[in-house]
Amino acid sequence: QVQLVESGGGSVQAGGSLRLSCAASGATASVECWAWVRQAPGKEREVVAITHINKRFYDDSVRFRFTISHDNAKNAVYLEMDSLKPEDSGQYFCVADPNGCSWKPHEYDYWGQGTQVTVSS
């Protein structure tokens, strides 16, 4: 089992920045893929960033603005969010899976509790 705890969410004005953190514990050595999932009000969950063996992948909506990183020594995953837009608002979840990477949120086995991000105009 893997436990994930997110932090760093909050309210910010458009154009601002936030850094989300995910503290991982448990059987983290079994994880093959780490990702961040966003759920905006009234919308489906969406994988916005993935990291796997030092490779990074981004949804077009966040490319060049968000940066995902994984610190193996600290068992931590981060999402640096810059140039935030109101449409970035939503609940952000740190997720992980031992089987591989996917753009489908439901494929991930492990989920954090989520952290709220609100971007005002």
Side-chain angles (χ1 to χ4, degrees):
Q1 278 284 354
V2 175
Q3 295 78 45
L4 306 172
V5 180
E6 303 97 331
S7 62
S11 298
V12 64
Q13 292 184 337
S17 300
L18 283 174
R19 191 191 197 206
L20 306 183
S21 298
C22 173
S25 60
T28 58
S30 68
V31 175
E32 291 293 331
C33 190
W34 304 87
W36 287 91
V37 173
R38 176 175 66 197
Q39 184 167 33
K43 298 183 67 177
E44 295 184 2
R45 291 173 174 174
E46 177 184 36
V47 178
V48 297
I50 300 167
T51 184
H52 174 246
I53 315 177
N54 293 321
K55 296 180 181 179
R56 299 167 182 173
F57 308 89
Y58 299 97
D59 182 80
D60 287 343
S61 67
V62 307
R63 197 184 312 277
F64 309 125
R65 299 188 298 116
F66 290 13
T67 303
I68 186 172
S69 60
H70 177 214
D71 189 326
N72 287 281
K74 296 181 179 179
N75 273 337
V77 184
Y78 306 96
L79 186 68
E80 176 69 33
M81 305 184 293
D82 298 316
S83 301
L84 283 162
K85 305 174 181 179
E87 50 263 45
D88 293 321
S89 297
Q91 194 81 359
Y92 284 75
F93 299 88
C94 177
V95 300
D97 196 88
N99 299 316
C101 302
S102 176
W103 290 106
K104 302 174 181 177
H106 69 267
E107 293 289 343
Y108 291 89
D109 288 346
Y110 305 113
W111 290 67
Q113 83 288 352
T115 186
Q116 181 68 35
V117 171
T118 302
V119 184
S120 60
S121 300

